[in-house]
Amino acid sequence: MILIVFALLCLASVPLTGGHVGRLASIRLRGTWVPMVALAIQVLITTVAPDGHEGLHKAVHIATYVLIGVFLWCNRRLPGVRVIGLGAFLNALVITINAGQMAASRTAERLAGLHLPGGFQNSAPLAHPHLLWFGDVIPWPGPFPNVLSIGDILIYAGTLILLHRVCRRPADSTADRPVALEPGAELSIGVPEAEPTG
């Protein structure tokens, strides 16, 4: 739940700094259905049906990060996406090297007051964790307790870059400023070249 709250806070920071959220409509995302499918699958294996074959759940969990990686690669030219991709890569690396689960710190979970239910969890303390320092080691206590990773922090940093670069005010862009012509100069209007589609 706290992850959704953080995402909403990132979005709310745009108008507070003079940006316009409506400019997000100008973003041309490729494969928008891919992260939606990945998120739906994660909700399915952790909330709807956490009980079942643990090995299958872990394999599916890794597969969702493959889907997210494909989506980020297809949209890598957008501002901030490479930072988001680095965060997602670190999370995926820890999950993969720990056979399908994000390694979490017991101390961080205790400080956050987090109590995990039974069944498969995408993040949990492991008997012999690998790369724990990249795992969920940052406690977040409060009404929505959770534990975060360095990868999570990078994902939100990249999200802020994306939002504020796309939604910045026209005054921040030289393209919106009037161009002063020298005396005797002619203004020519040409057909703009098509942007590469990647």
Tab-separated table of all heavy atoms in Angstrom, residues 144-170:
chain	number	residue	atom	x	y	z
A	144	PHE	N	1.061	2.366	7.055
A	144	PHE	CA	1.253	1.421	5.946
A	144	PHE	C	2.669	0.854	6.036
A	144	PHE	O	3.533	1.197	5.234
A	144	PHE	CB	1.037	2.101	4.601
A	144	PHE	CG	-0.293	2.778	4.468
A	144	PHE	CD1	-0.380	4.165	4.417
A	144	PHE	CD2	-1.463	2.040	4.407
A	144	PHE	CE1	-1.605	4.795	4.301
A	144	PHE	CE2	-2.686	2.660	4.284
A	144	PHE	CZ	-2.766	4.039	4.236
A	145	PRO	N	2.935	-0.012	7.015
A	145	PRO	CA	4.306	-0.505	7.219
A	145	PRO	C	4.797	-1.320	6.023
A	145	PRO	O	4.039	-2.064	5.402
A	145	PRO	CB	4.172	-1.378	8.472
A	145	PRO	CG	2.738	-1.797	8.503
A	145	PRO	CD	1.974	-0.637	7.937
A	146	ASN	N	6.069	-1.152	5.737
A	146	ASN	CA	6.666	-1.880	4.624
A	146	ASN	C	8.179	-1.821	4.760
A	146	ASN	O	8.704	-1.104	5.617
A	146	ASN	CB	6.232	-1.290	3.280
A	146	ASN	CG	6.188	-2.333	2.179
A	146	ASN	OD1	7.008	-3.250	2.146
A	146	ASN	ND2	5.229	-2.208	1.276
A	147	VAL	N	8.862	-2.584	3.945
A	147	VAL	CA	10.319	-2.512	3.856
A	147	VAL	C	10.680	-2.260	2.395
A	147	VAL	O	10.086	-2.836	1.488
A	147	VAL	CB	10.989	-3.805	4.370
A	147	VAL	CG1	10.966	-3.855	5.878
A	147	VAL	CG2	10.308	-5.044	3.798
A	148	LEU	N	11.651	-1.389	2.196
A	148	LEU	CA	12.018	-0.973	0.853
A	148	LEU	C	13.457	-1.355	0.541
A	148	LEU	O	14.258	-1.621	1.444
A	148	LEU	CB	11.845	0.542	0.701
A	148	LEU	CG	10.474	1.118	1.067
A	148	LEU	CD1	10.515	2.642	1.011
A	148	LEU	CD2	9.401	0.571	0.147
A	149	SER	N	13.780	-1.348	-0.738
A	149	SER	CA	15.134	-1.652	-1.189
A	149	SER	C	15.745	-0.427	-1.864
A	149	SER	O	15.047	0.552	-2.175
A	149	SER	CB	15.106	-2.820	-2.187
A	149	SER	OG	14.431	-2.426	-3.384
A	150	ILE	N	17.045	-0.491	-2.105
A	150	ILE	CA	17.710	0.568	-2.868
A	150	ILE	C	17.099	0.656	-4.258
A	150	ILE	O	16.935	1.745	-4.815
A	150	ILE	CB	19.215	0.287	-2.947
A	150	ILE	CG1	19.839	0.360	-1.553
A	150	ILE	CG2	19.907	1.273	-3.890
A	150	ILE	CD1	21.305	-0.011	-1.511
A	151	GLY	N	16.739	-0.483	-4.817
A	151	GLY	CA	16.088	-0.495	-6.129
A	151	GLY	C	14.781	0.263	-6.120
A	151	GLY	O	14.471	0.999	-7.066
A	152	ASP	N	14.000	0.107	-5.040
A	152	ASP	CA	12.738	0.847	-4.923
A	152	ASP	C	12.987	2.355	-4.922
A	152	ASP	O	12.263	3.119	-5.568
A	152	ASP	CB	12.001	0.452	-3.636
A	152	ASP	CG	11.536	-0.993	-3.650
A	152	ASP	OD1	11.302	-1.531	-4.736
A	152	ASP	OD2	11.418	-1.575	-2.553
A	153	ILE	N	14.017	2.786	-4.186
A	153	ILE	CA	14.336	4.210	-4.111
A	153	ILE	C	14.705	4.738	-5.495
A	153	ILE	O	14.281	5.836	-5.897
A	153	ILE	CB	15.498	4.455	-3.123
A	153	ILE	CG1	15.136	3.927	-1.728
A	153	ILE	CG2	15.851	5.936	-3.065
A	153	ILE	CD1	13.905	4.539	-1.123
A	154	LEU	N	15.486	3.970	-6.246
A	154	LEU	CA	15.867	4.382	-7.601
A	154	LEU	C	14.652	4.454	-8.516
A	154	LEU	O	14.556	5.354	-9.364
A	154	LEU	CB	16.902	3.413	-8.169
A	154	LEU	CG	18.311	3.505	-7.581
A	154	LEU	CD1	19.184	2.364	-8.098
A	154	LEU	CD2	18.945	4.848	-7.931
A	155	ILE	N	13.721	3.522	-8.353
A	155	ILE	CA	12.513	3.530	-9.185
A	155	ILE	C	11.717	4.804	-8.948
A	155	ILE	O	11.249	5.447	-9.905
A	155	ILE	CB	11.657	2.278	-8.892
A	155	ILE	CG1	12.350	1.032	-9.440
A	155	ILE	CG2	10.259	2.424	-9.482
A	155	ILE	CD1	11.703	-0.270	-9.044
A	156	TYR	N	11.572	5.213	-7.693
A	156	TYR	CA	10.823	6.441	-7.407
A	156	TYR	C	11.603	7.686	-7.831
A	156	TYR	O	11.009	8.675	-8.258
A	156	TYR	CB	10.448	6.499	-5.935
A	156	TYR	CG	9.316	5.553	-5.621
A	156	TYR	CD1	9.537	4.396	-4.888
A	156	TYR	CD2	8.037	5.793	-6.096
A	156	TYR	CE1	8.506	3.515	-4.623
A	156	TYR	CE2	6.994	4.915	-5.832
A	156	TYR	CZ	7.234	3.783	-5.104
A	156	TYR	OH	6.211	2.895	-4.851
A	157	ALA	N	12.938	7.646	-7.740
A	157	ALA	CA	13.744	8.772	-8.223
A	157	ALA	C	13.570	8.928	-9.732
A	157	ALA	O	13.402	10.051	-10.246
A	157	ALA	CB	15.214	8.558	-7.869
A	158	GLY	N	13.597	7.815	-10.452
A	158	GLY	CA	13.383	7.869	-11.889
A	158	GLY	C	11.989	8.339	-12.252
A	158	GLY	O	11.792	9.059	-13.245
A	159	THR	N	11.001	7.940	-11.440
A	159	THR	CA	9.628	8.393	-11.672
A	159	THR	C	9.518	9.898	-11.515
A	159	THR	O	8.843	10.577	-12.308
A	159	THR	CB	8.664	7.691	-10.699
A	159	THR	OG1	8.758	6.272	-10.878
A	159	THR	CG2	7.228	8.138	-10.924
A	160	LEU	N	10.193	10.444	-10.504
A	160	LEU	CA	10.190	11.900	-10.304
A	160	LEU	C	10.842	12.610	-11.483
A	160	LEU	O	10.353	13.645	-11.955
A	160	LEU	CB	10.922	12.253	-9.009
A	160	LEU	CG	10.158	12.020	-7.709
A	160	LEU	CD1	11.072	12.227	-6.516
A	160	LEU	CD2	8.940	12.946	-7.624
A	161	ILE	N	11.953	12.060	-11.980
A	161	ILE	CA	12.616	12.656	-13.147
A	161	ILE	C	11.674	12.662	-14.340
A	161	ILE	O	11.528	13.668	-15.043
A	161	ILE	CB	13.902	11.879	-13.482
A	161	ILE	CG1	14.930	12.046	-12.360
A	161	ILE	CG2	14.487	12.358	-14.817
A	161	ILE	CD1	16.154	11.169	-12.516
A	162	LEU	N	11.017	11.526	-14.583
A	162	LEU	CA	10.093	11.428	-15.716
A	162	LEU	C	8.962	12.439	-15.596
A	162	LEU	O	8.672	13.185	-16.549
A	162	LEU	CB	9.525	10.008	-15.777
A	162	LEU	CG	8.411	9.761	-16.808
A	162	LEU	CD1	8.947	9.962	-18.217
A	162	LEU	CD2	7.831	8.368	-16.652
A	163	LEU	N	8.324	12.486	-14.437
A	163	LEU	CA	7.177	13.374	-14.241
A	163	LEU	C	7.565	14.834	-14.405
A	163	LEU	O	6.881	15.603	-15.089
A	163	LEU	CB	6.567	13.144	-12.863
A	163	LEU	CG	5.840	11.809	-12.643
A	163	LEU	CD1	5.447	11.662	-11.185
A	163	LEU	CD2	4.618	11.706	-13.531
A	164	HIS	N	8.667	15.237	-13.800
A	164	HIS	CA	9.024	16.657	-13.806
A	164	HIS	C	9.651	17.094	-15.131
A	164	HIS	O	9.545	18.263	-15.500
A	164	HIS	CB	9.940	16.974	-12.628
A	164	HIS	CG	9.223	16.968	-11.318
A	164	HIS	ND1	8.591	18.085	-10.803
A	164	HIS	CD2	8.981	15.971	-10.425
A	164	HIS	CE1	8.028	17.782	-9.646
A	164	HIS	NE2	8.235	16.507	-9.400
A	165	ARG	N	10.259	16.175	-15.854
A	165	ARG	CA	10.786	16.533	-17.176
A	165	ARG	C	9.659	16.681	-18.188
A	165	ARG	O	9.687	17.565	-19.049
A	165	ARG	CB	11.765	15.448	-17.644
A	165	ARG	CG	13.101	15.459	-16.932
A	165	ARG	CD	14.041	16.524	-17.472
A	165	ARG	NE	14.319	16.343	-18.875
A	165	ARG	CZ	15.254	15.523	-19.357
A	165	ARG	NH1	15.999	14.800	-18.528
A	165	ARG	NH2	15.456	15.424	-20.651
A	166	VAL	N	8.671	15.813	-18.089
A	166	VAL	CA	7.563	15.852	-19.052
A	166	VAL	C	6.579	16.966	-18.711
A	166	VAL	O	6.051	17.631	-19.604
A	166	VAL	CB	6.835	14.486	-19.078
A	166	VAL	CG1	5.572	14.569	-19.930
A	166	VAL	CG2	7.761	13.405	-19.618
A	167	CYS	N	6.354	17.195	-17.426
A	167	CYS	CA	5.314	18.132	-16.987
A	167	CYS	C	5.849	19.510	-16.615
A	167	CYS	O	5.119	20.301	-16.019
A	167	CYS	CB	4.561	17.555	-15.786
A	167	CYS	SG	3.791	15.960	-16.078
A	168	ARG	N	7.077	19.804	-16.967
A	168	ARG	CA	7.649	21.087	-16.583
A	168	ARG	C	6.930	22.236	-17.280
A	168	ARG	O	6.320	22.069	-18.328
A	168	ARG	CB	9.138	21.132	-16.918
A	168	ARG	CG	9.437	20.987	-18.395
A	168	ARG	CD	10.917	20.866	-18.618
A	168	ARG	NE	11.211	20.619	-20.037
A	168	ARG	CZ	12.430	20.418	-20.498
A	168	ARG	NH1	13.466	20.419	-19.678
A	168	ARG	NH2	12.628	20.202	-21.790
A	169	ARG	N	7.056	23.421	-16.735
A	169	ARG	CA	6.377	24.597	-17.273
A	169	ARG	C	6.961	24.996	-18.617
A	169	ARG	O	8.144	24.772	-18.879
A	169	ARG	CB	6.503	25.758	-16.290
A	169	ARG	CG	5.745	25.551	-14.998
A	169	ARG	CD	6.013	26.659	-14.036
A	169	ARG	NE	7.423	26.688	-13.621
A	169	ARG	CZ	7.927	27.562	-12.759
A	169	ARG	NH1	7.152	28.490	-12.242
A	169	ARG	NH2	9.196	27.513	-12.422
A	170	PRO	N	6.165	25.638	-19.505
A	170	PRO	CA	6.682	26.078	-20.807
A	170	PRO	C	7.868	27.012	-20.682
A	170	PRO	O	8.749	27.032	-21.524
A	170	PRO	CB	5.491	26.791	-21.438
A	170	PRO	CG	4.295	26.227	-20.764
A	170	PRO	CD	4.740	25.895	-19.362
